[in-house]
Amino acid sequence: MRSLSFLSMEYLFLLLSILSQCLKFGSGTAAVVHARNGDGVQPLSKIAIHKAVYALHENASVKAHPLVLGTKGGDSDWVTVEIEFPKPSEDDWIAVFSPANFSSSICQPSDDMEQFPHICSAPIKYKYANDSDADYKKTGKSSLKFQLINQREDFSFALFSGGLSDPKLVAVSNVISFANPKAPLYPRLSQGKSWNEMTVTWTSGYNVIEAVPFVEWGMKGESQTRSPAGTLTFHQNDMCAPPARTVGWRDPGFIHTSFLKDLWPSSVYTYKLGHKLVDGSYVWSKSYSFKSSPYPGQDSLQRVVIFGDMGKAERDGSNEYSNYQPGSLNTTDQLIKDLKNIDIVFHIGDITYANGYISQWDQFTSQVERIASTVPYMIASGNHERDAPNSGSFYDGNDSGGECGVIAETMFYVPAENRAKFWYSTDYGMFHFCIADSEHDWREGSEQYKFIEKCLASADRRKQPWLIFVAHRVLGYSSSYWKDASFGEPMGRESLQGLWQKYKVDIAFFGHIHNYERTCPVYQGQCMHVGKSHYSGTVNGTIHVVVGGGGSHLSAFGPTQTSWSLYKDSDFGFVKLTAYNHSSLLFEYKKSSDGNVYDSFTISRDYRDVLACVHDGCEPTTLGS
């Protein structure tokens, strides 16, 4: 494929475009300075790509090498980009486009004639030209390093002047690509619908008419078997609004899911992803391993990690206009560092913050691959996955950037009856989890309310003493003033605290607020148990925990000092639960910066304590003779 700098202007004027009105969505203004305060705006949305004009300079050049990536079998590689421009300025920037022929191959046909070039897709990442060379403005020369991951298409690099708000295309590089762009990549494990089933989801460039997807797996050291995989994808017209439907669109490839069944409890399995091509040859991923779930109620050491609102960041320092998720890499790296001591992970909403820029989902699955390929990576639906105008979500904003849940429910498997309704239950040994979808109606009488009550009621507390409720938005307690000064989601406690009390929920976890806060065991705004570091006896209130500091820009606390709040921290971190047996649970809040514990408590309890009568949590009784 020829570089755009060599395309004739005659050819350029023959290119077709999409509607200009659509192009305008998802673009914004930008400043020259590199902001570091985390303003919560998707960095790619700062690029006014619809305003790009051609200003090709005959003496400007962009050269990228190596030409072929992943020659040693890896799914990421480092690229050096050399820039020369005789008219440099401090707001020049380099964009990474994929596919490489970004001004024609991505554009959909349109009858409208518009200003050229027709750049109808945002880049997948970018850096300022002076990012690694402060003398760029003097010399017009710079050398930049980008880390690229395999995203099923080739790449090119474009030099723009005029900043992000008034981009002028100056030069385009040669094309580079991965050795096998279609390779199976980024496996994500999830608990299946039964305790002894593990699902494996991955992404590739192979449609089912090209290759048959499967997983080869078996107990470590024993004979391997093969399980087929189903294949899904989604299309641009499946998106609900811009920018996902316009400048943020990028072909997602194909998402495959295989169901590994009849697993032995607490056993180590190895697996690898495979595709059998039509010519009879095979394409393989590297090998991975996981440990299967314990039998429900099994008395063994079980460790759970929970956090929300992590997002992604680039290890090469790109896309740092607003430092959107400044703590995400620290959280990821701390989990990887402690992975041998983690059994299952819950990422409770606001997964990637792609916000309609679909290329970012590949970036995220690559970032968490070492975690998600080793332990079940369970997700919940957040506003940045689901909310879009007129899409049936409980809130009518466009926090998802038009994704409206389609991408999350396709890219990750959860054991829900209907994945478009992102509520489900799952068991892990002595834990029973009820995961709600705060982006759908949870109020009494709703379909989800009935699910929540059924899920809580189904917990056999003799076998699974630790009952955990999860939702993205704060349906319980938070001291952060974020909506109507309500200390949480309006109608949340009103509708659900009766169920938490009736079924004696131990801990309720929430994200959405980007900080950490722990309450006492609380019911109707009153602490039901004294003490901060240890609880024992009856379950007479639920501990509410906001753990939304996974990585995105942090939230401040409100000025009111609430009586039920025991610990607050506006920092990045996550929670780890360790069940030692049916009677002992350890709760730890760890900071992502160092992995150390900054808040903790223990629960000691016998089964009779769960059965004990508490206020608004008693079965009706009669006197018998």
Side-chain angles (χ1 to χ4, degrees):
M1 183 181 295
R2 292 180 296 170
S3 169
L4 268 178
S5 58
F6 295 107
L7 290 174
S8 68
M9 294 306 293
E10 179 181 1
Y11 175 69
L12 286 171
F13 277 91
L14 293 176
L15 298 178
L16 296 172
S17 67
I18 62 175
L19 295 173
S20 60
Q21 184 62 36
C22 292
L23 284 170
K24 293 178 182 178
F25 284 102
S27 302
T29 59
V32 172
V33 294
H34 302 234
R36 297 292 178 188
N37 59 349
D39 63 3
V41 178
Q42 163 58 250
L44 295 177
S45 71
K46 295 289 188 178
I47 303 172
I49 200 67
H50 68 285
K51 294 174 61 178
V53 296
Y54 261 69
L56 295 175
H57 196 290
E58 60 181 1
N59 293 322
S61 67
V62 182
K63 298 177 181 178
H65 61 87
L67 299 180
V68 181
L69 311 177
T71 55
K72 297 181 180 180
D75 53 25
S76 69
D77 220 332
W78 285 89
V79 176
T80 300
V81 180
E82 307 285 350
I83 306 167
E84 289 192 21
F85 184 30
K87 295 183 178 181
S89 66
E90 62 182 0
D91 60 355
D92 293 347
W93 54 285
I94 284 284
V96 185
F97 283 95
S98 179
N101 188 9
F102 54 86
S103 73
S104 63
S105 63
I106 303 175
C107 294
Q108 291 187 345
S110 171
D111 292 332
D112 292 351
M113 295 302 296
E114 298 170 3
Q115 186 179 24
F116 291 90
H118 297 308
I119 301 177
C120 53
S121 176
I124 63 174
K125 59 167 65 178
Y126 68 92
K127 281 186 178 185
Y128 285 92
N130 62 5
D131 187 78
S132 58
D133 190 346
D135 291 330
Y136 167 76
K137 188 177 179 180
K138 298 178 182 178
T139 66
K141 296 181 180 180
S142 182
S143 178
L144 300 173
K145 295 283 189 180
F146 285 90
Q147 186 180 41
L148 299 185
I149 65 167
N150 192 339
Q151 292 186 258
R152 302 168 303 283
E153 294 282 357
D154 52 12
F155 302 86
S156 64
F157 298 81
L159 175 62
F160 288 89
S161 64
L164 304 180
S165 59
D166 191 23
K168 298 174 180 61
L169 183 59
V170 173
V172 181
S173 76
N174 52 290
V175 174
I176 64 175
S177 63
F178 274 83
N180 180 10
K182 293 186 175 184
L185 298 169
Y186 318 129
R188 289 89 74 183
L189 299 177
S190 173
Q191 292 283 94
K193 290 187 176 181
S194 61
W195 69 270
N196 60 349
E197 178 180 65
M198 187 74 77
T199 71
V200 186
T201 300
W202 72 96
T203 306
S204 85
Y206 292 112
N207 197 345
V208 290
I209 62 174
E210 299 176 84
V212 177
F214 62 93
V215 174
E216 185 171 279
W217 63 284
M219 200 173 290
K220 186 177 182 179
E222 299 188 6
S223 60
Q224 307 288 289
T225 187
R226 292 181 180 178
S227 293
T231 298
L232 297 173
T233 190
F234 50 89
H235 305 282
Q236 192 165 357
N237 58 6
D238 294 324
M239 303 293 97
C240 294
R245 202 174 171 95
T246 55
V247 296
W249 171 254
R250 187 180 189 275
D251 192 299
F254 301 96
I255 293 88
H256 317 279
T257 300
S258 184
F259 299 84
L260 315 186
K261 300 184 178 184
D262 299 324
L263 303 178
W264 290 42
S266 302
S267 300
V268 177
Y269 287 83
T270 58
Y271 72 98
K272 59 181 178 180
L273 318 172
H275 289 263
K276 184 178 181 180
L277 305 181
V278 291
D279 64 3
S281 63
Y282 289 85
V283 175
W284 296 99
S285 73
K286 57 188 176 184
S287 294
Y288 303 89
S289 65
F290 66 84
K291 186 178 181 180
S292 58
S293 172
Y295 186 80
Q298 179 176 311
D299 201 341
S300 60
L301 182 66
Q302 295 157 17
R303 299 149 303 183
V304 181
V305 164
I306 303 175
F307 60 87
D309 308 78
M310 183 168 78
K312 53 159 284 294
E314 303 291 344
R315 296 190 185 275
D316 60 13
S318 57
N319 289 16
E320 287 301 314
Y321 175 84
S322 61
N323 205 17
Y324 192 16
Q325 293 102 27
S328 61
L329 290 180
N330 282 346
T331 300
T332 300
D333 292 345
Q334 288 296 344
L335 297 184
I336 291 173
K337 187 177 180 180
D338 195 39
L339 198 52
K340 291 183 179 179
N341 300 308
I342 297 172
D343 296 308
I344 188 171
V345 168
F346 287 84
H347 187 160
I348 60 173
D350 286 7
I351 310 300
T352 69
Y353 292 93
N355 296 2
Y357 291 87
I358 297 168
S359 64
Q360 305 305 287
W361 282 89
D362 285 319
Q363 302 284 337
F364 177 82
T365 54
S366 173
Q367 177 177 305
V368 301
E369 179 193 31
R370 289 184 62 186
I371 306 166
S373 65
T374 307
V375 299
Y377 197 94
M378 315 301 294
I379 68 169
S381 177
N383 52 304
H384 284 280
E385 284 76 55
R386 181 61 183 85
D387 294 359
N390 304 310
S391 69
S393 55
F394 195 54
Y395 301 88
D396 205 34
N398 193 24
D399 292 346
S400 77
E403 295 177 10
C404 55
V406 172
I407 304 180
E409 67 195 41
T410 308
M411 295 288 287
F412 284 84
Y413 176 85
V414 295
E417 290 301 317
N418 180 347
R419 284 159 68 184
K421 300 172 181 176
F422 227 89
W423 53 77
Y424 63 95
S425 66
T426 193
D427 297 316
Y428 192 89
M430 294 176 285
F431 291 93
H432 183 69
F433 296 92
C434 296
I435 289 78
D437 180 355
S438 63
E439 310 315 299
H440 282 87
D441 193 355
W442 63 81
R443 294 171 297 177
E444 188 169 1
S446 67
E447 181 183 0
Q448 183 173 194
Y449 181 92
K450 295 174 184 177
F451 157 78
I452 293 171
E453 179 159 28
K454 181 180 179 181
C455 181
L456 297 176
S458 67
D460 182 344
R461 301 299 287 275
R462 187 175 65 83
K463 295 180 179 178
Q464 294 178 301
W466 312 116
L467 180 56
I468 309 297
F469 177 86
V470 171
H472 175 64
R473 293 179 188 258
V474 181
L475 304 183
Y477 293 78
S478 166
S479 293
S480 294
Y481 284 94
W482 71 276
K483 192 175 181 65
D484 302 332
S486 62
F487 303 112
E489 191 69 28
M491 306 171 288
R493 284 179 282 167
E494 176 185 341
S495 297
L496 295 174
Q497 67 178 345
L499 294 182
W500 298 326
Q501 184 75 354
K502 178 180 179 180
Y503 296 105
K504 303 181 177 69
V505 172
D506 291 298
I507 310 175
F509 286 96
F510 311 100
H512 197 61
I513 306 300
H514 299 173
N515 55 35
Y516 169 78
E517 183 174 17
R518 169 172 67 97
T519 76
C520 60
V522 60
Y523 177 55
Q524 292 183 337
Q526 301 296 317
C527 287
M528 307 298 288
H529 199 296
V530 296
K532 294 184 178 181
S533 60
H534 181 72
Y535 304 102
S536 60
T538 58
V539 190
N540 56 359
T542 297
I543 297 169
H544 293 253
V545 178
V546 175
V547 61
S552 192
H553 57 288
L554 294 170
S555 304
F557 289 97
T560 302
Q561 299 302 311
T562 53
S563 60
W564 35 258
S565 181
L566 299 184
Y567 192 98
K568 301 175 185 177
D569 187 33
S570 185
D571 203 350
F572 303 109
F574 53 92
V575 161
K576 185 176 182 179
L577 301 177
T578 302
Y580 294 101
N581 50 49
H582 285 70
S583 300
S584 301
L585 180 71
L586 171 65
F587 173 106
E588 297 172 299
Y589 163 64
K590 298 186 175 187
K591 289 196 179 187
S592 301
S593 56
D594 56 18
N596 293 331
V597 177
Y598 286 80
D599 182 35
S600 65
F601 64 85
T602 57
I603 300 176
S604 298
R605 178 189 305 135
D606 293 327
Y607 178 51
R608 65 177 182 177
D609 297 323
V610 181
L611 297 177
C613 181
V614 297
H615 180 66
D616 287 349
C618 303
E619 296 294 332
T621 59
T622 60
L623 294 175
S625 58

